[in-house]
Amino acid sequence: MRVIRREVLREFASAHRHAETEYTIFNIGGNKYRLATSINHRAGRVYIRSVMTHEEYSREDWKRR
């Protein structure tokens, strides 16, 4: 994975400390589904936390698993 303008992410994480460890959510399938990931920029890895429907994402059960 290559992240262009990584300093923008670092600046944001410095200003918002809690944002550095939160999940990154992608809307997929025409906004019908959600892909929850944890991104390790230093290692260049994306870890998939969960794939779910929009309804499942809204219930937030995936955060407790």
Side-chain angles (χ1 to χ4, degrees), residues 30-64:
N31 207 25
K32 294 178 185 176
Y33 307 104
R34 299 289 189 271
L35 173 67
T37 66
S38 177
I39 302 174
N40 184 325
H41 296 280
R42 292 185 183 157
R45 295 187 178 174
V46 177
Y47 299 94
I48 296 175
R49 171 72 170 99
S50 186
V51 180
M52 65 213 101
T53 65
H54 185 4
E55 182 182 330
E56 291 169 332
Y57 171 78
S58 296
R59 287 195 309 253
E60 296 189 357
D61 294 337
W62 62 275
K63 289 181 180 180
R64 293 184 282 277

Side-chain angles (χ1 to χ4, degrees), residues 2-30:
R2 292 191 181 180
V3 178
I4 309 301
R5 305 249 324 146
R6 188 174 296 187
E7 64 273 5
V8 174
L9 296 172
R10 287 188 182 130
E11 288 172 11
F12 184 83
S14 292
H16 306 278
R17 288 287 177 196
H18 69 281
E20 188 173 18
T21 58
E22 290 185 346
Y23 294 108
T24 302
I25 308 298
F26 295 93
N27 295 324
I28 55 177

